[in-house]
Amino acid sequence: MAHSRFVIVGGGTAGWITAFILRDCIARAKLDASVAVVESSKIPTVGVGEATTAAFHVFLRHFGIDIFEFMRSCEATYKLGIRHQDWRRKGVTYYGPIDDPHQVIQPPPGAPSDYLNVYAVSVGKPVQDMHMFGPLLERKKAPWTTKADGSLLPLGPFLPAYHFDQSKVGKFLKAKSVGVEVVDNVLAGVERDGESGDVTALVFEDGEKLEGDFFIDATGFRKRLIVKELNAPWVSYQNELPVNRALPFWLPVEEGQEIANYTLAWAQEAGWMWQIPTQSRYGCGYVYSDQFSTPEQAHAEVERVLGRKIEVRDDIKFQIGRLENAWIGNMLAVGLSSSFLEPLESTSIHGTIVQMMMFGGNFLRDPKKMTQALRDDYNRRVGRQVDDFRTFVNTHYATERDDTPFWRDVRANRMHPETQERLARWRTEMPRMSHFPQYLFGLPHLETQLHYPVLDGLGLLDPAVAKAEMARDPKLRSFAKVTHDSLVKEYKQAATKALSHAEFLKGVREQRWT
C-alpha cells in the first residue's frame, strides 16, 4: 500500500485539533499515512475570546496536555456554564450549568433518564440548583478548594469547559504536536484530477506545490477550498436564527475584579450580547439583526446598556448555516469552513472535535478506499448534528419577550418546525434521553443535560406534567426528593469553601499548583 498524505489547510484552533485527532486515529488504524498542516505566517490571527464545551477538556486530557500549562499559555478561564440574562423576559436571569448531576448518583434499578430533573420541575425548584456548577456560577467560584497545606482539592468529579484567547490556542497546540509536517505558505489554488475531480495538489503563491491524497479545509469563514474551489452548496439557517451581524469589542478585567466563570448571553433590543472572559480581558460582542438595527444604533445601544464607551473592533456580516455536504470527493471541511451558528452554545469547537473523532474512528480509510457510500453516511450524520445545534439554539428564542420589533418578529416568524414539534411534545411529557436518537456512535451531543436548564429557565416545562410523572412511581419520587435535597445542600455548602475564580487563576499563573 502506497504512503498517503493528509493535508490540513488552516492552522488555527480547528486545524490543529484536527491534526491531533487525525494523527492519533491514523496510528490506531495502522495506516501508512502522514499529516501536514498548511498555515501562513503572513496571515495574522486575530485574538478573540472563544468558548468550548467539556469535549475540549476531554481532548486535552486524552493527549496528555497539562491543563494548567494550557490555561497559562492561552489566558484560559473556566466555563462552568452560561448566564442567560433577559431572555425569558427583561429582569429574568437563569444559568445553564454544563455538569450533569445524574452522572454522580447511582440511580435506582429501572429509573428513567432525567428523573432528578423531572423531580425538580415537579416541585418548582430551578434545575440549576442541584448541579455542582450551579452555586459556583452564581458566586463566580472555581470548582476547587485548598487543603491545610495549600494544595488543591477538587470539590467533586467535574468536566469543565474553557474560555481562552483564540489566537493563542493554535500556536499552543502546534508547539505540542509531534510528527506533523508544517508548511508555511500562502495558498493560491489547487490542481485537480481531470477524471475524478479530486484535488491532487495545492498550489502556492510562490509557485511551490504540495501533493496530497486527502485534504481538510480548516480555513474558517473563508472556506477557501470547499466553497471557492469545489463550489459546495450551503444550507441557510437564517430564517430561524435571526441574527446576521456582529459588533465585537473588548472590555478589560479590572485589577481586583472577580472574573466570571460563565459565558454571558445577554438579550438586547435586536439580538444579544456576549461576554467571554480570558484572564486579562473580556471578549465581547453584540450579535444582532440588521433588519432591526444599524451598526450605529447597535453601537449606541451597547454603550447605553454598559454605561461606558467602547471601541468597536470590526463590523462582521455572517451567514448562519452549514454545508449541504461537509465531505466532497477527497476533501472534508471542519470548523467554521463547515458550519456557523451564532456563538450561543459554543458549538464550533465541540463540533470539530466530535466530527473528527467520528471521522477518524468510523470512516478513516486509505484515501483510495474511501467510497461514496462512506461520504454519504458521514454527511448525513454531520448534517443532522448541526441541524440539532440549530434547533437547540432556536429553542432559546421561544421567549415571552415582545417589547421590541425584533422580539415580536422572533415570536411570530422564527420558530423552526422542529423546535415547535419538540416543544409541543414536552408540553405533555418531560424530555427524556430517548427523545434524542443516537447517530454519532456514542460521542457527546446536545441532549437532555443541556436542554433542561434552558427549557426550565424559559418557563417551557409544565410542573403539572412533571408531578403526574413522579406520582406514577412513589418510590422513585421519594428517592429523587432525598437525592435532590442532599445535592442542593451539599453543593451550596461546597461553594462556600470554593476558591474564587480570580484567586484560582492567579494561583495557576504563579504556578502555585501542578
Side-chain angles (χ1 to χ4, degrees):
M1 185 185 298
H3 177 83
S4 299
R5 177 190 270 159
F6 289 76
V7 180
I8 301 163
V9 182
T13 306
W16 280 105
I17 286 173
T18 298
F20 268 79
I21 296 174
L22 197 53
R23 258 202 106 247
D24 187 49
C25 292
I26 285 171
R28 291 171 186 271
K30 298 180 180 176
L31 288 181
D32 179 16
S34 59
V35 175
V37 173
V38 176
E39 60 179 2
S40 172
S41 55
K42 296 179 181 179
I43 300 175
T45 303
V46 179
V48 296
E50 189 154 10
T52 71
T53 67
F56 188 76
H57 178 82
V58 175
F59 166 85
L60 293 175
R61 283 290 192 209
H62 176 79
F63 288 104
I65 295 172
D66 182 270
I67 299 295
F68 289 175
E69 181 188 359
F70 158 74
M71 295 184 83
R72 281 191 295 274
S73 300
C74 301
E75 291 222 19
T77 64
Y78 276 133
K79 175 193 168 185
L80 304 185
I82 302 173
R83 175 185 166 106
H84 301 268
Q85 189 168 328
D86 293 342
W87 282 82
R88 181 174 179 177
R89 58 180 179 272
K90 293 185 78 170
V92 173
T93 292
Y94 70 90
Y95 292 89
I98 63 171
D99 60 321
D100 187 356
H102 294 82
Q103 293 185 351
V104 299
I105 299 294
Q106 183 68 35
S113 74
D114 297 281
Y115 66 96
L116 290 174
N117 282 326
V118 177
Y119 173 79
V121 175
S122 75
V123 293
K125 303 289 188 182
V127 298
Q128 67 193 42
D129 289 355
M130 64 179 179
H131 289 250
M132 186 178 83
F133 288 175
L136 297 178
L137 287 165
E138 291 176 335
R139 301 177 186 214
K140 298 181 181 176
K141 297 288 191 79
W144 299 92
T145 187
T146 50
K147 302 177 187 177
D149 63 2
S151 61
L152 281 178
L153 178 69
L155 291 178
F158 61 89
L159 283 176
Y162 300 94
H163 309 102
F164 48 69
D165 185 328
Q166 178 268 340
S167 69
K168 298 182 177 182
V169 173
K171 294 174 184 175
F172 177 80
L173 293 177
K174 176 182 178 181
K176 294 294 180 184
S177 68
V178 177
V180 176
E181 178 186 2
V182 180
V183 178
D184 185 350
N185 217 324
V186 180
L187 185 67
V190 301
E191 290 183 351
R192 299 174 69 176
D193 181 86
E195 188 173 327
S196 68
D198 284 353
V199 174
T200 56
L202 304 179
V203 181
F204 299 113
E205 285 185 349
D206 61 5
E208 292 291 315
K209 295 181 182 180
L210 179 67
E211 294 183 345
D213 301 282
F214 195 90
F215 296 84
I216 296 173
D217 186 340
T219 61
F221 283 134
R222 291 183 298 146
K223 304 178 185 64
R224 179 62 183 81
L225 293 175
I226 197 79
V227 171
K228 291 194 176 178
E229 300 292 344
L230 301 191
N231 297 311
W234 184 256
V235 177
S236 176
Y237 295 157
Q238 195 63 65
N239 187 63
E240 53 270 21
L241 301 182
V243 296
N244 66 344
R245 201 157 183 155
L247 178 153
F249 59 96
W250 289 333
L251 291 176
V253 172
E254 305 292 352
E255 185 69 31
Q257 181 185 44
E258 192 47 83
I259 298 176
N261 56 4
Y262 52 76
T263 300
L264 174 62
W266 186 1
Q268 302 296 327
E269 291 181 3
W272 60 277
M273 193 191 313
W274 82 80
Q275 290 184 8
I276 293 177
T278 65
Q279 293 181 30
S280 62
R281 69 188 179 206
Y282 284 82
C284 309
Y286 183 14
V287 282
Y288 63 96
S289 168
D290 61 13
Q291 180 182 346
F292 296 98
S293 183
T294 66
E296 295 75 22
Q297 289 169 333
H299 188 169
E301 183 185 353
V302 170
E303 292 188 338
R304 183 175 71 252
V305 168
L306 296 178
R308 62 184 296 166
K309 295 290 184 182
I310 63 164
E311 183 178 340
V312 175
R313 296 175 48 240
D314 206 346
D315 175 20
I316 303 170
K317 295 181 181 180
F318 48 78
Q319 287 183 310
I320 290 185
R322 65 170 174 87
L323 294 173
E324 186 176 294
N325 294 301
W327 183 0
I328 300 173
N330 66 338
M331 185 177 296
L332 184 79
V334 298
L336 297 176
S337 293
S338 173
S339 63
F340 176 73
L341 282 77
E342 57 192 88
L344 187 54
E345 286 287 348
S346 307
T347 53
S348 183
I349 291 174
H350 175 93
T352 297
I353 292 171
V354 170
Q355 288 162 19
M356 288 313 302
M357 287 176 65
M358 183 173 69
F359 174 79
N362 301 278
F363 295 90
L364 181 64
R365 308 281 192 280
D366 178 272
K368 297 178 182 62
K369 296 181 180 179
M370 291 180 178
T371 64
Q372 187 59 45
L374 272 181
R375 290 189 282 271
D376 290 344
D377 189 15
Y378 177 88
N379 285 328
R380 278 193 298 270
R381 294 172 191 271
V382 168
R384 182 64 256 180
Q385 179 200 38
V386 185
D387 286 349
D388 279 349
F389 291 160
R390 170 211 62 202
T391 303
F392 183 48
V393 172
N394 186 228
T395 300
H396 293 64
Y397 287 95
T399 82
E400 299 170 12
R401 289 194 61 163
D402 63 357
D403 52 296
T404 68
F406 170 81
W407 289 106
R408 288 192 286 274
D409 176 65
V410 163
R411 285 170 63 104
N413 304 312
R414 301 295 184 169
M415 288 297 105
H416 190 272
E418 189 169 84
T419 309
Q420 294 174 336
E421 290 168 11
R422 288 185 179 183
L423 294 181
R425 180 177 192 176
W426 295 333
R427 281 193 286 272
T428 60
E429 58 181 310
M430 299 299 287
R432 301 288 187 193
M433 287 292 288
S434 59
H435 298 171
F436 297 87
Q438 295 291 323
Y439 52 84
L440 295 175
F441 303 98
L443 293 167
H445 192 42
L446 299 173
E447 294 161 340
T448 52
Q449 172 193 353
L450 295 179
H451 275 76
Y452 261 97
V454 173
L455 295 167
D456 183 52
L458 291 173
L460 297 173
L461 298 175
D462 187 347
V465 174
K467 278 184 180 180
E469 290 198 12
M470 282 281 115
R472 289 197 284 271
D473 191 339
K475 288 181 70 173
L476 179 62
R477 186 191 185 283
S478 177
F479 179 86
K481 180 184 187 312
V482 172
T483 303
H484 172 275
D485 292 350
S486 66
L487 287 176
V488 171
K489 182 179 179 181
E490 176 187 348
Y491 292 153
K492 284 185 177 178
Q493 289 177 342
T496 65
K497 303 172 186 175
L499 290 168
S500 80
H501 194 207
E503 181 184 3
F504 166 78
L505 294 170
K506 186 171 185 286
V508 170
R509 286 194 300 275
E510 294 172 352
Q511 302 189 40
R512 208 182 303 163
W513 305 296
T514 56

